Each structure stands twice: as C-alpha cells, then as structure tokens.
Coordinates of all heavy atoms in Angstrom, one line a residue:
G17 N -0.2 1.9 -12.1 CA 0.2 1.3 -10.8 C 0.3 2.3 -9.7 O -0.2 2.1 -8.5
G18 N 0.9 3.4 -9.9 CA 0.9 4.5 -8.9 C -0.4 5.1 -8.4 O -0.6 5.2 -7.2
Q19 N -1.5 5.3 -9.4 CA -2.7 5.7 -9.1 C -3.4 4.6 -8.3 O -4.2 4.9 -7.3 CB -3.6 6.0 -10.4 CG -3.1 7.2 -11.1 CD -3.8 7.4 -12.5 OE1 -3.9 6.4 -13.1 NE2 -4.1 8.6 -12.7
R20 N -3.3 3.2 -8.6 CA -4.0 2.3 -7.8 C -3.4 2.2 -6.4 O -4.2 1.9 -5.5 CB -3.8 0.9 -8.5 CG -4.5 0.7 -9.9 CD -4.5 -0.7 -10.3 NE -3.2 -1.3 -10.5 CZ -2.7 -1.2 -11.6 NH1 -3.2 -0.6 -12.7 NH2 -1.5 -1.9 -11.9
Q21 N -2.2 2.3 -6.3 CA -1.6 2.4 -4.9 C -2.0 3.5 -4.2 O -2.1 3.5 -2.9 CB 0.0 2.2 -4.9 CG 0.5 1.9 -3.6 CD 0.2 0.5 -3.2 OE1 -0.8 -0.1 -3.3 NE2 1.1 0.0 -2.2
A22 N -2.2 4.7 -4.8 CA -2.7 6.0 -4.2 C -4.0 5.7 -3.7 O -4.3 6.3 -2.6 CB -2.5 7.1 -5.2
V23 N -4.8 5.1 -4.4 CA -6.2 4.9 -4.0 C -6.1 4.0 -2.7 O -6.9 4.1 -1.8 CB -7.1 4.2 -5.1 CG1 -8.4 3.6 -4.6 CG2 -7.2 5.1 -6.2
A24 N -5.3 2.8 -2.8 CA -5.2 2.0 -1.6 C -4.7 2.7 -0.4 O -5.2 2.5 0.7 CB -4.4 0.8 -2.0
V25 N -3.7 3.6 -0.5 CA -3.2 4.4 0.6 C -4.3 5.4 1.0 O -4.5 5.5 2.3 CB -1.9 5.1 0.2 CG1 -1.5 6.1 1.3 CG2 -0.8 4.0 0.0
A26 N -5.0 6.0 0.1 CA -6.1 6.9 0.5 C -7.1 6.4 1.2 O -7.8 7.1 2.0 CB -6.6 7.6 -0.7
R27 N -7.3 5.0 1.1 CA -8.6 4.4 1.8 C -8.1 4.3 3.3 O -9.1 4.3 4.1 CB -8.7 3.0 1.3 CG -9.9 2.2 1.8 CD -10.1 1.0 1.0 NE -9.0 0.1 0.9 CZ -8.7 -0.6 -0.1 NH1 -9.6 -0.7 -1.1 NH2 -7.6 -1.5 0.0
A28 N -7.0 4.3 3.6 CA -6.6 4.2 5.1 C -7.1 5.3 5.9 O -7.7 5.0 7.0 CB -5.1 4.0 5.2
P29 N -7.0 6.5 5.7 CA -7.4 7.6 6.5 C -9.0 7.8 6.5 O -9.6 8.5 7.3 CB -6.9 8.9 6.1 CG -6.6 8.6 4.7 CD -6.2 7.2 4.5
V30 N -9.6 7.1 5.4 CA -11.0 7.2 5.6 C -11.7 6.4 6.9 O -12.6 6.8 7.3 CB -11.8 6.6 4.3 CG1 -13.2 6.5 4.3 CG2 -11.3 7.3 3.0
F31 N -11.0 5.4 7.0 CA -11.5 4.4 8.1 C -10.5 4.3 9.3 O -11.0 3.8 10.4 CB -11.8 3.0 7.6 CG -12.8 3.1 6.5 CD1 -12.5 2.9 5.2 CD2 -14.2 3.3 6.9 CE1 -13.3 3.0 4.1 CE2 -15.1 3.3 5.7 CZ -14.7 3.1 4.5
G32 N -9.3 4.4 9.1 CA -8.2 4.5 10.1 C -8.3 5.7 11.0 O -7.5 6.7 10.6
R33 N -9.0 5.7 12.0 CA -9.1 7.0 12.9 C -7.8 7.3 13.6 O -7.6 8.5 13.8 CB -10.1 6.7 13.9 CG -11.6 6.4 13.2 CD -12.6 6.3 14.4 NE -12.3 5.5 15.6 CZ -12.4 4.1 15.6 NH1 -13.0 3.6 14.5 NH2 -12.0 3.5 16.6
D34 N -6.9 6.4 13.9 CA -5.9 6.7 14.8 C -4.5 6.2 14.2 O -3.6 7.0 14.2 CB -6.1 6.0 16.1 CG -7.4 6.4 16.8 OD1 -7.5 7.5 17.0 OD2 -8.1 5.5 17.2
I35 N -4.5 5.0 13.8 CA -3.2 4.4 13.3 C -3.3 3.7 11.9 O -4.3 3.1 11.6 CB -2.8 3.3 14.3 CG1 -2.6 3.8 15.7 CG2 -1.5 2.7 13.9 CD1 -3.7 3.2 16.6
V36 N -2.3 4.1 11.1 CA -2.3 3.4 9.7 C -1.0 2.7 9.6 O 0.1 3.2 9.9 CB -2.3 4.4 8.6 CG1 -2.2 4.0 7.3 CG2 -3.7 5.2 8.7
I37 N -1.1 1.5 9.3 CA 0.2 0.5 9.0 C 0.4 0.4 7.6 O -0.6 0.1 6.8 CB 0.1 -0.7 9.7 CG1 -0.2 -0.7 11.2 CG2 1.2 -1.7 9.3 CD1 -0.5 -2.0 11.9
M38 N 1.6 0.8 7.0 CA 1.8 0.6 5.5 C 2.9 -0.3 5.4 O 4.1 0.0 5.7 CB 2.1 2.1 5.0 CG 1.0 3.0 5.1 SD 1.3 4.6 4.2 CE -0.2 5.5 4.7
D39 N 2.7 -1.4 4.6 CA 3.7 -2.4 4.4 C 4.2 -2.3 2.9 O 3.5 -2.6 1.9 CB 3.1 -3.7 4.5 CG 4.1 -4.9 4.3 OD1 5.3 -4.6 4.3 OD2 3.6 -6.1 4.1
E40 N 5.4 -1.8 2.9 CA 6.1 -1.5 1.5 C 5.0 -0.8 0.4 O 4.8 -1.3 -0.6 CB 6.5 -2.8 1.0 CG 7.6 -3.5 1.9 CD 8.9 -3.0 1.7 OE1 9.1 -2.0 0.9 OE2 9.9 -3.6 2.3
P41 N 4.5 0.3 0.8 CA 3.6 0.8 0.0 C 3.9 1.3 -1.5 O 3.1 1.6 -2.3 CB 3.0 2.1 0.8 CG 4.2 2.4 1.6 CD 4.8 1.1 2.0
T42 N 5.3 1.4 -1.7 CA 5.9 1.9 -3.0 C 6.7 0.8 -3.6 O 7.4 1.2 -4.6 CB 6.7 3.2 -2.8 OG1 7.8 2.9 -1.9 CG2 5.8 4.4 -2.3
A43 N 6.6 -0.4 -3.1 CA 7.7 -1.5 -3.7 C 7.5 -1.7 -5.2 O 8.5 -2.0 -5.7 CB 7.3 -2.7 -2.8
A44 N 6.3 -1.6 -5.7 CA 6.1 -2.0 -7.0 C 6.2 -0.9 -8.1 O 5.7 -0.9 -9.1 CB 4.8 -2.9 -7.2
L45 N 6.5 0.3 -7.6 CA 6.3 1.5 -8.3 C 7.6 2.1 -8.9 O 8.6 1.8 -8.4 CB 5.6 2.5 -7.5 CG 4.3 2.1 -6.8 CD1 3.8 3.3 -6.0 CD2 3.3 1.7 -7.8
G46 N 7.4 2.8 -10.0 CA 8.7 3.6 -10.6 C 8.9 4.8 -9.8 O 8.3 5.2 -8.7
V47 N 9.8 5.5 -10.2 CA 10.3 6.9 -9.5 C 9.2 7.8 -9.4 O 9.0 8.3 -8.2 CB 11.6 7.3 -10.2 CG1 12.0 8.7 -9.5 CG2 12.6 6.4 -10.1
R48 N 8.7 8.2 -10.5 CA 7.6 9.2 -10.3 C 6.4 8.8 -9.7 O 5.8 9.6 -8.7 CB 7.2 9.6 -11.9 CG 8.1 10.4 -12.6 CD 7.6 10.8 -14.0 NE 6.5 11.6 -13.8 CZ 5.7 12.0 -14.9 NH1 6.2 11.7 -16.2 NH2 4.8 12.9 -14.8
E49 N 6.0 7.6 -9.8 CA 4.7 7.0 -9.0 C 5.1 6.9 -7.5 O 4.3 7.3 -6.6 CB 4.4 5.6 -9.5 CG 3.8 5.7 -11.0 CD 3.4 4.3 -11.5 OE1 4.2 3.4 -11.2 OE2 2.5 4.2 -12.3
T50 N 6.3 6.6 -7.1 CA 6.8 6.5 -5.8 C 6.7 7.8 -5.2 O 6.1 8.0 -4.1 CB 8.2 6.0 -5.7 OG1 8.2 4.6 -6.0 CG2 8.8 6.2 -4.2
A51 N 7.2 8.9 -5.8 CA 7.2 10.2 -5.2 C 5.8 10.7 -5.0 O 5.4 11.4 -4.0 CB 7.8 11.2 -6.2
A52 N 4.9 10.3 -6.0 CA 3.4 10.7 -5.9 C 2.7 10.1 -4.5 O 2.1 10.7 -3.8 CB 2.6 10.3 -7.1
V53 N 3.1 8.8 -4.4 CA 2.6 8.0 -3.2 C 3.1 8.6 -1.9 O 2.5 8.7 -0.8 CB 2.7 6.6 -3.4 CG1 2.3 5.8 -2.1 CG2 1.9 6.0 -4.5
M54 N 4.5 8.9 -2.0 CA 5.1 9.5 -0.9 C 4.4 10.9 -0.4 O 4.1 11.1 0.7 CB 6.5 9.7 -1.0 CG 7.3 8.4 -0.9 SD 9.1 8.6 -1.6 CE 9.7 9.6 -0.3
D55 N 4.1 11.6 -1.4 CA 3.3 12.9 -1.1 C 1.9 12.6 -0.5 O 1.6 13.3 0.5 CB 3.1 13.6 -2.4 CG 4.3 14.4 -2.9 OD1 5.2 14.5 -2.1 OD2 4.5 14.8 -4.0
V56 N 1.2 11.6 -0.8 CA 0.0 11.1 -0.3 C 0.2 10.8 1.2 O -0.6 11.2 2.1 CB -0.8 10.0 -0.9 CG1 -1.9 9.6 -0.3 CG2 -1.1 10.5 -2.4
I57 N 1.2 10.1 1.5 CA 1.6 9.6 2.9 C 1.9 10.7 3.7 O 1.4 10.9 4.9 CB 2.8 8.6 2.9 CG1 2.4 7.3 2.1 CG2 3.3 8.3 4.3 CD1 3.6 6.4 1.9
R58 N 2.6 11.9 3.3 CA 2.8 13.0 3.9 C 1.5 13.7 4.3 O 1.3 14.3 5.4 CB 3.8 14.0 3.2 CG 5.1 13.5 3.1 CD 6.0 14.5 2.4 NE 7.4 14.1 2.2 CZ 7.7 13.6 1.0 NH1 6.9 13.5 0.0 NH2 9.0 13.2 0.7
R59 N 0.5 13.8 3.4 CA -0.6 14.6 3.6 C -1.4 13.8 4.6 O -2.2 14.4 5.4 CB -1.3 14.8 2.3 CG -0.7 15.9 1.5 CD -1.6 16.2 0.2 NE -1.6 15.2 -0.9 CZ -0.6 15.2 -1.8 NH1 0.2 16.2 -1.8 NH2 -0.6 14.2 -2.7
I60 N -1.5 12.5 4.6 CA -2.1 11.7 5.7 C -1.6 11.9 7.0 O -2.2 12.2 7.9 CB -2.2 10.3 5.2 CG1 -3.0 9.9 4.0 CG2 -2.6 9.4 6.3 CD1 -2.9 8.6 3.4
N61 N -0.3 11.9 7.1 CA 0.4 12.3 8.3 C 0.1 13.7 8.9 O -0.1 13.9 10.1 CB 2.0 12.0 8.1 CG 2.7 12.4 9.4 OD1 3.6 13.2 9.4 ND2 2.5 11.7 10.5
E62 N -0.1 14.6 8.0 CA -0.4 15.9 8.4 C -1.7 16.1 9.1 O -2.0 17.0 9.7 CB -0.4 16.8 7.3 CG 1.0 17.2 6.7 CD 1.0 17.8 5.4 OE1 0.0 18.2 4.8 OE2 2.1 18.2 4.8
R63 N -2.6 15.0 9.0 CA -3.9 15.0 9.6 C -3.9 14.5 11.0 O -4.7 14.4 11.8 CB -4.9 14.1 8.8 CG -5.2 14.6 7.5 CD -6.2 13.7 6.7 NE -6.5 14.3 5.3 CZ -7.6 13.9 4.7 NH1 -8.4 13.0 5.1 NH2 -7.8 14.4 3.5
G64 N -2.7 14.2 11.5 CA -2.4 13.8 12.9 C -2.4 12.4 13.1 O -2.3 11.9 14.2

C-alpha cells in the first residue's frame, strides 16, 4: 500500500509544474508506510 501511494504521489511532480494538491495521501497506510510517503512529500517540496 505504501509503495502504491508513493507512486501516486511521485506522479504529481512529473506533470505538476507549479502546484500539487494532496488529499489525505497517507490515510490508508501504516506507520512505516506513512513515514516513507512523508519523506517523498518532503523531497517533492524541496524542488520548489
């Protein structure tokens, strides 16, 4: 589940040039999977 959501989150900066809207991106995930997806969100944010 965490890997699938990470893929969904990763798709956003491929095409979202300016703004990414994330609706409860970790709602269905466990603790470890949530932490992994949060790291992906941080790395996307670091791209500006």
Side-chain angles (χ1 to χ4, degrees):
Q19 288 173 322
R20 290 195 297 272
Q21 191 67 333
V23 169
V25 171
R27 187 167 55 209
V30 176
F31 302 103
R33 301 186 308 274
D34 302 309
I35 302 114
V36 177
I37 301 171
M38 298 187 181
D39 183 12
E40 299 281 1
T42 64
L45 305 181
V47 175
R48 290 183 61 184
E49 293 178 326
T50 292
V53 172
M54 287 173 65
D55 285 341
V56 175
I57 294 172
R58 291 189 187 95
R59 286 189 284 274
I60 291 172
N61 177 241
E62 288 170 359
R63 297 185 175 193

